[in-house]
Amino acid sequence: MSKNLVLQPPRGTRDWLPEEAYAKRIVSEKIREVFESYGYGEVITPAFEYLDLLKAKAGEEVVEQIYAFKDKAGRELGLRFEMTTPIARIVASRLDLAKPLRFYYVQPVWRYEEPQRGRWREFWQAGIELFGISEPEGDAEVVAVTFDALKAVGLKDFDIRVNDRRVVEDLVLGAGIPGDLLPSALRVLDKMDKFGEEYVVSELAKLGLREDAATSLLEKLKSGSLDIDTSTQPGREGLRRLALVVDTLKNCYGINVTVDYAIVRGLGYYTGFVFEVKAGSSEGLGSIAGGGRYDDLVSVVGGPKIPASGMAIGVERLLEALSMQGALKLDYREVDVCVIPVKKTPEILSEAVAVARELRVAGMKVVLEVSERSLSKLLEAASKRGARFAIILGERELKEGVVTVRDLYLWKEEKVARPHLYEYIRAGSST
RNA sequence: GCCUCGGUGGUGUAGCCUGGGAACACGUCGGCCUGUGGAGCCGAAGACCCCGGGUUCAAAUCCCGGCCGAGGCCCCA
């Protein structure tokens, strides 16, 4: 063994110890239940894909974040940086599957970025994709699933912000910004919350927008009103659909969302509706979840044009937000019962194994203590590990056909006849 | 790509400014106590103070370079 090995996990990755892994699993399971309750089915795809596929519809910036490599046969591959493109591949290639399709996943993805709070190079996404529904009601369903999933895990005061790209684009172009500067303008507008109106106006001036035009543009954007003037056909369409999504959510699902024209979202494949979720009291974490409509992706990947809408929850961010809110209360216990043979004679040991097996079969977590330490040390260890009971087994017990059950919480112990052991422990566990 | 901070036993830290004995907590192991004192007390093991160079009689400490990490900007889950 070399002494020089780096024992930390690589930058941007992490280990999950039992308690953390448990929290992640519980949260993931609650999310899955919500996804499945809406009729979504799980899909699992490879960690790596052909590089060309991943590049197909990603912005240039995202392409640079792909972990790319060649396999031994020279194939150009890359680790998936999100799940939507791989799933679009499935949909594009499996035209035999009847639409609409409802898929979900809980999987790790990889991006070569500079790590920060809530930003990892390997992270988990839990998301859904809805293919074959072009109506705004599909977008509303996606938002509703997101809402229910976040509620199910106990996230408090989160805010869902919705937008349609075409509306902002319409307004920005209408204000007089040339088409080629649109991306820069959108980026500037996104800074509204962070740097304030004055900053945005001055930045827009650099893009050639007069101050009064910029101010009136900001007025419209800030209003979050669905009753604004649009100048283009796509803009009108976007506005109409956005209003429908908001209405459906409010009137049918009872979910209130905020219209925020600054939400644009980075991934290049969104074609209209977009949304984002941020949680209260989790500043600096970025968005917990996000999604939108991507009607072109399946065709870009080589399939027919199939409308689609989807979203992803950042599992690590969700966990961190939950723990910041103090909403991550889990009763984690690794061990329920510790079986301690006093001496390791064959008779005692086989009785200990039998006792442990009996309780394990009944669904309890049982450690059979086999290390050579004094009884008091072993009791101490069992207690620290969080076990509720210690079962002490030696010659005396064997002779009498009983076991000594020590309640490590109540500091009591009692001899219990073998046939009543499980009953005794089960009764004690629930107090 | 830019910026800030950091790297000291297994883990988390103090010490660094104002250079000279490497400390504390937890953890581990043991003794008091070879079938029940989970507490407590006592003890032990465990660190070439990230690497390399420089300054100095003397460097964990000051200086330079590198490597690694955590955050911020950008962007994003």
Side-chain angles (χ1 to χ4, degrees):
Chain A
M1 258 239 279
S2 165
K3 267 192 128 172
N4 304 324
L5 290 178
V6 176
L7 295 180
Q8 297 166 308
R11 185 166 165 82
T13 66
R14 55 163 298 180
D15 299 313
W16 299 80
L17 269 50
E19 193 160 0
E20 303 160 327
Y22 176 76
K24 174 165 168 291
R25 201 183 81 220
I26 295 301
V27 164
S28 303
E29 273 171 10
K30 287 182 181 163
I31 293 173
R32 277 169 192 274
E33 281 168 22
V34 171
F35 290 171
E36 293 188 357
S37 78
Y38 275 82
Y40 286 70
E42 182 175 15
V43 289
I44 298 174
T45 72
F48 50 87
E49 295 276 353
Y50 286 110
L51 194 53
D52 287 342
L53 177 88
L54 297 177
K55 283 181 171 173
K57 192 65 182 183
E60 203 168 301
E61 197 146 341
V62 179
V63 168
E64 283 171 18
Q65 295 174 357
I66 297 176
Y67 275 90
F69 58 97
K70 274 187 198 175
D71 71 6
K72 292 183 179 181
R75 296 182 188 87
E76 299 270 1
L77 303 170
L79 296 181
R80 61 181 183 221
F81 57 90
E82 41 84 296
M83 289 295 292
T84 303
T85 306
I87 293 176
R89 170 179 61 71
I90 296 177
V91 173
S93 63
R94 293 295 304 269
L95 301 176
D96 55 309
L97 301 173
K99 260 60 82 181
L101 283 167
R102 288 178 167 84
F103 286 155
Y104 85 83
Y105 55 85
V106 181
Q107 295 279 302
V109 299
W110 297 267
R111 291 182 199 176
Y112 194 85
E113 283 191 278
E114 291 311 310
Q116 265 169 60
R117 170 181 283 272
R119 193 163 93 182
W120 302 86
R121 287 184 172 179
E122 175 182 74
F123 61 99
W124 287 69
Q125 289 193 323
I128 59 168
E129 313 289 352
L130 172 54
F131 293 93
I133 294 190
S134 58
E135 289 76 14
E137 286 78 5
D139 300 317
E141 174 176 313
V142 169
V143 172
V145 173
T146 310
F147 179 88
D148 284 2
L150 295 177
K151 274 284 177 212
V153 299
L155 189 68
K156 288 176 273 190
D157 55 276
F158 57 89
D159 190 21
I160 301 180
R161 298 179 173 225
V162 301
N163 186 20
D164 190 301
R165 280 192 169 181
R166 291 163 297 181
V167 179
V168 221
E169 288 170 11
D170 176 289
L171 294 176
V172 169
L173 295 174
I177 293 206
D180 55 327
L181 291 179
L182 185 62
S184 334
L186 292 179
R187 208 167 306 136
V188 169
L189 290 173
D190 193 44
K191 299 283 175 297
M192 217 20 202
D193 273 353
K194 213 170 245 171
F195 298 122
E197 194 167 331
E198 208 167 307
Y199 168 85
V200 173
V201 171
S202 78
E203 285 298 304
L204 287 176
K206 290 180 192 164
L207 297 174
L209 199 61
R210 290 210 328 274
E211 196 180 320
D212 56 335
T215 314
S216 88
L217 171 62
L218 288 188
E219 282 307 314
K220 286 187 199 166
L221 292 177
K222 273 197 318 185
S223 69
S225 164
L226 289 165
D227 186 23
I228 50 175
D229 291 330
T230 44
S231 52
T232 62
Q233 176 52 35
R236 269 190 293 281
E237 173 65 2
L239 196 59
R240 185 185 71 80
R241 295 180 57 110
L242 184 58
L244 259 168
V245 173
V246 172
D247 274 2
T248 306
L249 283 168
K250 182 170 185 165
N251 299 328
C252 306
Y253 288 96
I255 296 171
N256 287 311
V257 296
T258 312
V259 174
D260 182 343
Y261 292 119
I263 303 295
V264 179
R265 303 197 51 74
L267 292 172
Y269 48 62
Y270 291 110
T271 52
F273 175 73
V274 288
F275 76 101
E276 211 167 87
V277 182
K278 287 197 177 180
S281 60
S282 60
E283 280 70 31
L285 244 195
S287 50
I288 306 280
R293 177 160 287 280
Y294 49 96
D295 288 340
D296 293 339
L297 186 56
V298 176
S299 63
V300 165
V301 149
K305 192 163 161 72
I306 297 175
S309 194
M311 72 88 188
I313 296 170
V315 175
E316 285 83 355
R317 285 188 181 180
L318 175 58
L319 284 168
E320 189 162 349
L322 286 172
S323 95
M324 285 166 84
Q325 292 186 348
L328 203 60
K329 42 183 192 304
L330 301 166
D331 51 339
Y332 175 71
R333 189 189 293 166
E334 211 163 86
V335 180
D336 298 314
V337 179
C338 234
V339 178
I340 304 176
V342 172
K343 283 204 186 76
K344 289 198 276 180
T345 66
E347 294 76 23
I348 294 174
L349 205 52
S350 66
E351 176 72 353
V353 168
V355 166
R357 177 177 293 152
E358 181 185 329
L359 296 175
R360 283 171 184 150
V361 166
M364 311 191 113
K365 300 169 181 170
V366 184
V367 163
L368 176 58
E369 193 54 78
V370 289
S371 57
E372 294 279 0
R373 287 187 288 176
S374 67
L375 183 54
S376 57
K377 295 289 177 193
L378 293 175
L379 286 171
E380 178 180 351
S383 175
K384 277 184 181 159
R385 196 174 298 179
R388 175 66 196 264
F389 294 102
I391 293 180
I392 300 163
L393 245 175
E395 282 152 355
R396 297 173 202 164
E397 284 82 2
L398 222 52
K399 210 169 289 173
E400 298 172 38
V402 299
V403 293
T404 300
V405 178
R406 189 175 181 88
D407 187 320
L408 295 171
Y409 286 15
L410 302 179
W411 295 61
K412 284 193 326 197
E413 76 177 35
E414 213 171 323
K415 293 204 168 169
V416 179
R418 271 300 306 276
H420 303 127
L421 176 59
Y422 169 68
E423 199 51 38
Y424 180 87
I425 295 220
R426 208 188 48 152
S429 300
S430 55
T431 58

